[in-house]
Amino acid sequence: MSHSGSSSPQSRWKQVEALLGTKLPELPEVSDTSPLTDTSWVDEYVQQMLKKTMPVNGMLSGLKSKAEIFETHHYVIVKFKLPQPANPIVRARADRVSIEDSPLVKKQNIKLPCLVVPRLSKASYKNGILQIKMRKQKINQTAYDIYVRYL
Protein backbone atom coordinates (compact mmCIF):
# COMPACT_ATOMS: atom_id res chain seq x y z
CA MET A 1 0.00 0.00 0.00
CA SER A 2 1.66 3.19 -1.12
CA HIS A 3 1.38 6.32 0.94
CA SER A 4 0.92 9.51 -0.99
CA GLY A 5 0.60 12.94 0.54
CA SER A 6 -2.65 13.71 -1.31
CA SER A 7 -4.64 10.64 -0.16
CA SER A 8 -7.17 11.32 2.56
CA PRO A 9 -7.48 9.25 5.74
CA GLN A 10 -10.87 8.03 4.44
CA SER A 11 -9.37 6.68 1.21
CA ARG A 12 -6.53 4.98 3.11
CA TRP A 13 -9.16 3.47 5.45
CA LYS A 14 -10.98 2.02 2.41
CA GLN A 15 -7.67 0.53 1.22
CA VAL A 16 -7.19 -1.18 4.59
CA GLU A 17 -10.74 -2.55 4.41
CA ALA A 18 -10.04 -3.91 0.92
CA LEU A 19 -6.80 -5.50 2.14
CA LEU A 20 -8.50 -7.15 5.14
CA GLY A 21 -11.60 -8.11 3.18
CA THR A 22 -13.96 -6.85 5.86
CA LYS A 23 -15.88 -3.72 6.77
CA LEU A 24 -14.21 -1.76 9.56
CA PRO A 25 -16.01 0.73 11.84
CA GLU A 26 -16.42 4.20 10.46
CA LEU A 27 -13.32 6.34 10.81
CA PRO A 28 -13.99 9.26 13.17
CA GLU A 29 -14.26 12.66 11.48
CA VAL A 30 -11.21 14.92 11.60
CA SER A 31 -13.20 17.41 13.69
CA ASP A 32 -13.70 14.64 16.26
CA THR A 33 -10.92 13.59 18.58
CA SER A 34 -7.95 12.00 16.87
CA PRO A 35 -8.31 8.25 16.26
CA LEU A 36 -4.79 7.84 17.58
CA THR A 37 -5.52 9.41 20.97
CA ASP A 38 -9.14 8.25 21.43
CA THR A 39 -9.12 4.50 20.84
CA SER A 40 -12.55 3.73 22.33
CA TRP A 41 -13.82 2.91 18.83
CA VAL A 42 -11.31 0.03 18.66
CA ASP A 43 -12.77 -1.53 21.81
CA GLU A 44 -16.30 -1.25 20.40
CA TYR A 45 -15.18 -2.90 17.17
CA VAL A 46 -13.46 -5.77 19.00
CA GLN A 47 -16.56 -6.33 21.16
CA GLN A 48 -18.74 -6.47 18.03
CA MET A 49 -16.42 -9.03 16.41
CA LEU A 50 -16.37 -11.18 19.57
CA LYS A 51 -20.17 -11.17 19.72
CA LYS A 52 -20.29 -12.37 16.11
CA THR A 53 -17.89 -15.27 16.74
CA MET A 54 -19.26 -16.50 20.08
CA PRO A 55 -22.21 -18.92 20.26
CA VAL A 56 -25.51 -17.33 21.20
CA ASN A 57 -26.33 -19.52 24.22
CA GLY A 58 -22.82 -20.69 25.06
CA MET A 59 -21.67 -24.26 24.56
CA LEU A 60 -23.30 -27.33 26.06
CA SER A 61 -26.29 -25.56 27.58
CA GLY A 62 -24.05 -22.84 29.00
CA LEU A 63 -21.97 -25.13 31.21
CA LYS A 64 -18.65 -23.81 29.91
CA SER A 65 -19.43 -20.22 30.73
CA LYS A 66 -20.90 -21.09 34.15
CA ALA A 67 -17.85 -22.84 35.64
CA GLU A 68 -16.11 -21.10 38.53
CA ILE A 69 -12.93 -22.53 40.05
CA PHE A 70 -11.61 -21.45 43.45
CA GLU A 71 -8.50 -22.56 45.32
CA THR A 72 -7.89 -22.51 49.04
CA HIS A 73 -4.80 -23.80 50.83
CA HIS A 74 -6.12 -27.37 50.93
CA TYR A 75 -8.99 -27.54 48.42
CA VAL A 76 -10.06 -26.84 44.84
CA ILE A 77 -13.73 -25.90 44.58
CA VAL A 78 -15.60 -25.99 41.26
CA LYS A 79 -19.07 -24.44 40.98
CA PHE A 80 -21.51 -24.89 38.09
CA LYS A 81 -24.89 -23.36 37.51
CA LEU A 82 -27.16 -26.07 36.09
CA PRO A 83 -30.71 -25.79 34.81
CA GLN A 84 -33.31 -27.08 37.25
CA PRO A 85 -34.19 -29.88 37.69
CA ALA A 86 -30.83 -31.53 37.17
CA ASN A 87 -29.38 -34.92 37.90
CA PRO A 88 -25.64 -34.41 37.27
CA ILE A 89 -23.13 -37.24 37.00
CA VAL A 90 -19.73 -36.13 38.35
CA ARG A 91 -16.42 -37.93 37.85
CA ALA A 92 -13.06 -36.78 39.17
CA ARG A 93 -9.51 -37.57 38.17
CA ALA A 94 -6.33 -36.17 39.69
CA ASP A 95 -6.09 -33.49 36.99
CA ARG A 96 -9.70 -32.88 35.89
CA VAL A 97 -13.37 -33.21 36.71
CA SER A 98 -16.14 -34.15 34.28
CA ILE A 99 -19.83 -33.33 34.58
CA GLU A 100 -22.70 -34.74 32.58
CA ASP A 101 -26.06 -33.09 33.18
CA SER A 102 -28.26 -35.38 31.09
CA PRO A 103 -28.04 -37.78 28.18
CA LEU A 104 -28.80 -34.89 25.83
CA VAL A 105 -25.86 -32.78 27.03
CA LYS A 106 -22.31 -33.80 26.20
CA LYS A 107 -19.85 -34.37 28.99
CA GLN A 108 -18.09 -31.23 30.23
CA ASN A 109 -14.40 -31.66 31.16
CA ILE A 110 -12.70 -29.07 33.35
CA LYS A 111 -8.93 -29.05 33.77
CA LEU A 112 -8.03 -28.37 37.37
CA PRO A 113 -5.35 -25.84 38.37
CA CYS A 114 -3.51 -28.45 40.45
CA LEU A 115 -3.63 -32.17 41.26
CA VAL A 116 -6.33 -33.38 43.64
CA VAL A 117 -7.18 -36.60 45.49
CA PRO A 118 -10.27 -37.79 43.53
CA ARG A 119 -11.51 -40.36 46.08
CA LEU A 120 -11.83 -37.65 48.76
CA SER A 121 -13.95 -35.37 46.55
CA LYS A 122 -17.47 -34.36 47.55
CA ALA A 123 -20.25 -32.80 45.49
CA SER A 124 -23.48 -31.06 46.46
CA TYR A 125 -26.38 -29.68 44.43
CA LYS A 126 -28.73 -26.98 45.71
CA ASN A 127 -30.86 -24.33 44.01
CA GLY A 128 -29.34 -24.99 40.59
CA ILE A 129 -25.72 -24.80 41.82
CA LEU A 130 -23.47 -27.85 41.67
CA GLN A 131 -20.44 -27.50 43.96
CA ILE A 132 -17.54 -29.96 43.88
CA LYS A 133 -14.95 -29.80 46.67
CA MET A 134 -11.68 -31.67 46.02
CA ARG A 135 -8.73 -32.07 48.38
CA LYS A 136 -5.40 -30.97 46.89
CA GLN A 137 -2.64 -33.55 46.70
CA LYS A 138 0.18 -32.90 49.12
CA ILE A 139 3.53 -32.37 47.49
CA ASN A 140 6.14 -34.62 49.00
CA GLN A 141 9.08 -32.37 49.89
CA THR A 142 11.32 -35.26 50.93
CA ALA A 143 14.39 -35.64 48.73
CA TYR A 144 15.59 -39.12 47.89
CA ASP A 145 19.07 -40.19 46.83
CA ILE A 146 19.14 -41.82 43.44
CA TYR A 147 21.80 -44.36 42.67
CA VAL A 148 23.91 -43.43 39.65
CA ARG A 149 25.17 -46.33 37.59
CA TYR A 150 28.51 -45.70 35.89
CA LEU A 151 28.79 -47.17 32.41
Side-chain angles (χ1 to χ4, degrees), residues 21-32:
T22 185
K23 177 87 171 116
L24 296 174
E26 292 299 319
L27 186 64
E29 295 296 323
V30 177
S31 61
D32 293 346

Side-chain angles (χ1 to χ4, degrees), residues 47-115:
Q47 292 299 325
Q48 289 173 0
M49 291 297 111
L50 287 174
K51 284 179 186 175
K52 287 181 183 178
T53 59
M54 298 303 260
V56 177
N57 292 330
M59 309 241 347
L60 305 177
S61 300
L63 288 180
K64 245 183 197 149
S65 61
K66 303 294 182 191
E68 295 181 62
I69 301 174
F70 305 94
E71 280 189 74
T72 66
H73 289 298
H74 301 288
Y75 293 95
V76 174
I77 300 167
V78 178
K79 288 187 178 183
F80 278 88
K81 185 172 184 175
L82 295 173
Q84 291 184 357
N87 188 18
I89 299 168
V90 181
R91 289 186 177 91
R93 284 187 357 188
D95 63 335
R96 67 187 62 236
V97 65
S98 66
I99 298 165
E100 192 172 342
D101 181 30
S102 72
L104 301 175
V105 178
K106 293 182 184 174
K107 188 172 15 176
Q108 175 72 33
N109 288 307
I110 300 296
K111 186 168 177 17
L112 299 173
C114 63
L115 296 178

